[in-house]
Amino acid sequence: MNKRRLITSALPYVNNIPHLGNLIQVLSADVFARFCRLRGYETLYVCGTDEYGTATETRAREEGITPQELCTRYFEVHDEIYRWFQISFDKFGRTSTPEHTEITQDIFLKLHKNGYITSHTIEQLYSEASDMFLADRYVRGTCPHCGYEDARGDQCEHCGKLLDPADLINPRSLVDNSTPVMRETEHLYIDLPKILPLLQEWMKDAAARAGWSRNAMQMTNAWIRDGLKERGITRDLKWGIPVPLEGYENKVFYVWFDAPIGYISITATLRDDWESWWKNPDNVELFQFIGKDNIPFHTVIFPCSLLGSGDNWTMLHHMSATEYLNYESGQFSKSRGVGVFGNDARDTGIPADVWRFYLFYNRPESSDFTFTWQDFQEKTNGELIGNLGNLVNRTLTFLTRFYDGKVLPAAITGEFWRPVGAAQAEITAQLEKAHLRDAFRKVFELSSYGNRTFQAAEPWKTRETDPVGTHQLLSDLVYLIRDLAILCSPYIPSTSERICGFLGIQLPDWKALGSAEGITQVGQAAILFEKLEDTRIGELQARFSGTQAERAARDSAEAAASSDAAAASVGAAGEAAAASATVDSHASAKAKEEQAELPLDERFHARVDLRAARITQVDRHPEAEKLYIEIIDVGEEEPRQIVSGLVPHYSEDELLGKTIVLVSNLKPAKLRGEKSQGMLLAASATDAEGQETVEVLFLDDSGDVAPGSPVRLDGLPEPESFPSKLKVDEFFSMPIRVEDHQVLVGGRPLHCNGKPVRTRRVSSGDVG
């Protein structure tokens, strides 16, 4: 039977956008799958979004939508990014499917039948008002260590101490603001110590035979050495797979238990014969690509679930676990928005193959690697362009110019070909073991060999003294280029296709390596990639510095500053008006200087004109994925247009018709080519796990608020006037905060129609 390879990459959690560090696993599995197909192996590559769990339920509750709606939104974001990166999934699916529920419940019931499920009673905070047990992140209170009054149930954001919700002083439910009570609840556990003998029997030669990565071996052995413990597999949530056991109908499976089963269920959504892949250990090899933080789930917990079920599962054959990819001077962070994200890479205008090249050339296989823009530039210009691109261009250009593009049969047994054959054999062996970086670098060593051969031969001289020998050399190099296109195709597929196009052929399979047939005429090569210039890299480095929130504020400030450049000229007839304007500007500057000495709340009240505005139209920005263009009614003769970065946080329907708080006197600015006449206000907060919540300040709970209604700080008299063009940097110099769901400036609450402006989801955070 032909070798069959089943390939998976770690399921990305659904409610965020993947950054380059996350993409490493998906891209790695893609390279291996492409290689296996070229080798002629029957190959199946599956992945999908991990959609159940507390984080999804919490985020959906905060946004006022269903978990399914949230998952669908982010599934589409993930799918679009992976398509741009040309990931060749056989199936990119989801875990919120009937197939996933059925297979997960079946594995659980077999574990239960075989005696590997236990139950334990624990105490957990319970909301009597909402009749529900509260997950840790649904509880806040005073930290017992530092006294911070808005600490989360699992960790205090102020002092960083890990907490149990029961440790909080004066705990309160974020669901209904009630005071929760401790209640007993019973949960189910998988008995890993009891399954351990089965795991050890399987592991006797599994890891050594398949060549697991060193970190996978070390971490797995450490878990077993330190002693396996029973692990809870149920939670008191709504969003998840129901537990099919009497007495536990109101509980769902914990996401870590069901998520790896997603590999199986996603296959089942693709193929009716999914068991021929997942219950066929004698004929199928399972390769899994993950980050090192996921190792125990794939080498201990998931295998224990399968072994304990008693079915004849296809078990893990090869584990490829990478170290961390860091960013510049720190770490990539989904929650804080640090680094380059999948959509950012696309928006740079740099082709996907360039990103793929750099990530594979520096894949963190045995140690952490740090992405820097300077190294990105140097490797791209030096290797991708200066090495591979140079060999293709110089060889084909010379051949078409002096030999009409005609290719002679290559003498593959000659001196030139011996090191080529040895290198190709080594590359193939490395790829068979999923050593992707080492294999890729060997490909570029082979390209460098081609360049050295060209340079040493000096064909610009020998074409006169030895035209036949020169023609043969160039023909040999053409077949080397063909082989490089094959070897590169798992890594940079579009580039390989372009090279084959220059050679007038379709991409051959792996067996064509080392052959010298099929090419008789080549065409003129085109430049494969543009050089990355210093100015462009400097711009990108500045653009992607800091967090995404800091970038957005910086972009707004720069846009506002650019509008200052437009100044109206004053003619001779207008000198008097100009003089008057000068006097007025001096008076204005003096007033501003006096206001700067006021307390924060009074200064804000005197400078910032907040108004109610109703959103009447919402459209996607044609040039920016994260931006909406909103048409708003501010009670003026003409509607206004604003631009906001809310695409990752709200759908169009969630904004349309809502009444928001507008900074109405903010200086107009252009954001990616669209005019923005003001800025809506939104609160944001980041939890201990780094998940960001963004909540627009809606006024719809304040009664019938007419567009244009003032939104003012409570207890201060209405100002006589406001500056007509408030600069964005001045606005951000006056912080607005949310404390206990109240929106405050300098401790004074904002009011509209006599009612305080309040948030629902963000209890403590910043407003901007």
Side-chain angles (χ1 to χ4, degrees), residues 552-564 663 665-669 671 678-679 725-734:
R554 185 171 63 240
D555 290 346
S556 296
E558 290 173 355
S562 67
S563 65
D564 290 343
V663 186
N665 65 328
L666 197 67
K667 175 178 274 191
L671 299 179
M679 180 177 72
K725 293 183 179 180
L726 181 71
K727 291 186 177 181
V728 70
D729 55 349
E730 182 184 354
F731 171 74
F732 280 114
S733 74
M734 298 177 281

Side-chain angles (χ1 to χ4, degrees), residues 365-430:
E365 290 187 0
S366 55
S367 62
D368 293 355
F369 179 79
T370 299
F371 173 100
T372 68
W373 285 101
Q374 181 179 352
D375 188 62
F376 180 65
Q377 178 188 26
E378 290 174 354
K379 292 292 193 302
T380 300
N381 291 347
E383 290 294 336
L384 189 60
I385 299 174
N387 184 354
L388 178 63
N390 184 43
L391 176 64
V392 173
N393 187 264
R394 72 198 306 195
T395 300
L396 300 189
T397 297
F398 205 94
L399 190 63
T400 54
R401 182 177 178 184
F402 296 108
Y403 295 94
D404 297 324
K406 291 182 170 56
V407 180
L408 301 176
I412 60 172
T413 56
E415 187 71 23
F416 171 78
W417 284 100
R418 271 192 286 275
V420 173
Q424 291 175 348
E426 184 178 347
I427 291 165
T428 302
Q430 294 280 22

Side-chain angles (χ1 to χ4, degrees), residues 137-158:
R137 65 181 64 197
Y138 284 174
V139 184
R140 286 191 181 263
T142 300
C143 175
H145 301 285
C146 69
Y148 179 56
E149 295 183 354
D150 200 33
R152 288 170 43 87
D154 53 1
Q155 186 176 23
C156 176
E157 296 148 296
H158 187 261

Side-chain angles (χ1 to χ4, degrees), residues 425-674:
E426 184 178 347
I427 291 165
T428 302
Q430 294 280 22
L431 282 169
E432 285 286 353
K433 295 182 288 188
H435 295 171
L436 309 183
R437 181 195 61 195
D438 293 346
F440 197 39
R441 291 191 175 188
K442 195 70 179 177
V443 172
F444 279 85
E445 288 180 21
L446 195 52
S447 175
S448 182
Y449 168 73
N451 274 305
R452 291 196 306 273
T453 300
F454 185 101
Q455 196 69 22
E458 298 182 322
W460 53 91
K461 295 180 180 178
T462 59
R463 72 179 181 85
E464 297 287 350
T465 59
D466 182 13
V468 175
T470 302
H471 194 183
Q472 185 64 63
L473 168 75
L474 294 171
S475 298
D476 286 351
L477 287 173
V478 164
Y479 278 103
L480 173 62
I481 290 169
R482 188 277 316 272
D483 285 1
L484 289 171
I486 297 171
L487 296 167
C488 281
S489 64
Y491 298 93
I492 45 176
S494 291
T495 302
S496 291
E497 288 179 6
R498 288 190 67 198
I499 293 173
C500 287
F502 301 155
L503 304 181
I505 60 172
Q506 296 293 318
L507 179 69
D509 62 25
W510 211 260
K511 291 192 292 290
L513 290 173
S515 67
E517 56 188 20
I519 306 175
T520 57
Q521 181 81 35
V522 300
Q524 178 64 50
I527 299 298
L528 288 173
F529 301 102
E530 292 181 10
K531 184 179 178 182
L532 296 179
E533 301 292 349
D534 292 345
T535 53
R536 187 178 189 186
I537 290 298
E539 290 168 356
L540 291 171
Q541 186 173 26
R543 176 176 167 187
F544 295 110
S545 64
T547 67
Q548 288 183 321
E550 290 167 345
R551 296 174 200 170
R554 185 171 63 240
D555 290 346
S556 296
E558 290 173 355
S562 67
S563 65
D564 290 343
S569 61
V570 180
E575 290 180 1
S580 175
T582 301
V583 172
D584 289 344
S585 69
H586 286 314
S588 175
K590 183 178 180 181
K592 183 177 179 180
E593 185 177 332
E594 292 172 350
Q595 289 169 354
E597 299 176 359
L598 295 173
L600 172 61
D601 56 343
E602 295 182 27
R603 178 158 49 96
F604 183 95
H605 192 69
R607 302 291 296 171
V608 182
D609 185 12
L610 299 181
R611 299 276 172 178
R614 185 163 296 136
I615 300 175
T616 59
Q617 182 178 327
V618 184
D619 296 300
R620 290 288 187 102
H621 194 299
E623 302 297 331
E625 179 186 344
K626 296 180 183 178
L627 300 183
Y628 282 129
I629 301 171
E630 295 106 339
I631 305 300
I632 57 174
D633 178 4
V634 198
E636 300 166 337
E637 288 187 9
E638 297 291 333
R640 294 198 199 186
Q641 174 178 293
I642 60 172
V643 178
S644 69
L646 293 175
V647 172
H649 308 288
Y650 287 87
S651 67
E652 291 95 323
D653 290 342
E654 290 169 329
L655 296 172
L656 188 62
K658 293 296 180 68
T659 302
I660 51 107
V661 178
L662 178 76
V663 186
S664 70
N665 65 328
L666 197 67
K667 175 178 274 191
K670 280 197 173 183
L671 299 179
R672 302 294 290 271
E674 291 289 341

